[in-house]
Amino acid sequence: MPSISEDIRGVIKTALANVSANVYDHTPEAVQVPAVVIVPSSPYMELEVLGKVTTRVKLNYTITAAVAYLSNPASLDNLEKLVLSILGALSSSKYELSTVSQPAVTQVGTVNLLVADISLSVRYEQTA
């Protein structure tokens, strides 16, 4: 049986395989930077077709790009390079890329990271 985990998040993770970062298709317990994390966004599923034979939804994800934050211009440059490589890897017509958030500093454990979120949508269809 098809699954969103394999058919969508797994495919996105594979598309990002050539990006110079650790790619996670779930929220990891510990993040090793540079990193790309694929997580569901809100709304997560937008119903397009709901029937006995076919269900089609638009799935919304946040792709978080994260680099080490060392309070210097190199951190922002590293983040921008990572974001551009992600956008290039996901330029396929099956993905709808819409926005990249303003960079922000976030703390994971005891480590400060510079992060930016990319909005991505993709359609998923399951038939009975």
Side-chain angles (χ1 to χ4, degrees):
M1 180 171 195
S3 74
I4 292 173
S5 175
E6 292 174 15
D7 297 340
I8 301 297
R9 287 193 313 274
V11 171
I12 295 170
K13 182 178 179 180
T14 300
L16 294 169
N18 292 328
V19 171
S20 295
N22 298 297
V23 180
Y24 304 95
D25 60 357
H26 60 281
T27 304
E29 290 183 29
V31 176
Q32 294 182 356
V33 293
V36 178
V37 183
I38 306 161
V39 294
S41 189
S42 183
Y44 176 41
M45 293 186 188
E46 296 179 50
L47 303 175
E48 294 184 343
V49 174
L50 186 59
K52 291 183 180 182
V53 178
T54 301
T55 299
R56 186 173 56 240
V57 294
K58 178 180 174 185
L59 300 171
N60 298 303
Y61 289 95
T62 298
I63 311 294
T64 300
V67 298
Y69 178 65
L70 304 173
S71 187
N72 61 37
S75 295
L76 181 57
D77 186 54
N78 290 339
L79 181 62
E80 290 167 339
K81 288 176 182 174
L82 180 56
V83 166
L84 290 174
S85 67
I86 292 167
L87 295 175
L90 297 176
S91 63
S92 164
S93 62
K94 66 181 170 182
Y95 301 117
E96 296 174 26
L97 298 164
S98 58
T99 61
V100 178
S101 72
Q102 168 183 339
V105 177
T106 189
Q107 189 171 21
V108 178
T110 59
V111 179
N112 285 330
L113 304 178
L114 187 63
V115 301
D117 292 333
I118 302 167
S119 297
L120 176 142
S121 297
V122 63
R123 284 174 170 71
Y124 176 75
E125 186 172 304
Q126 189 171 29
T127 55

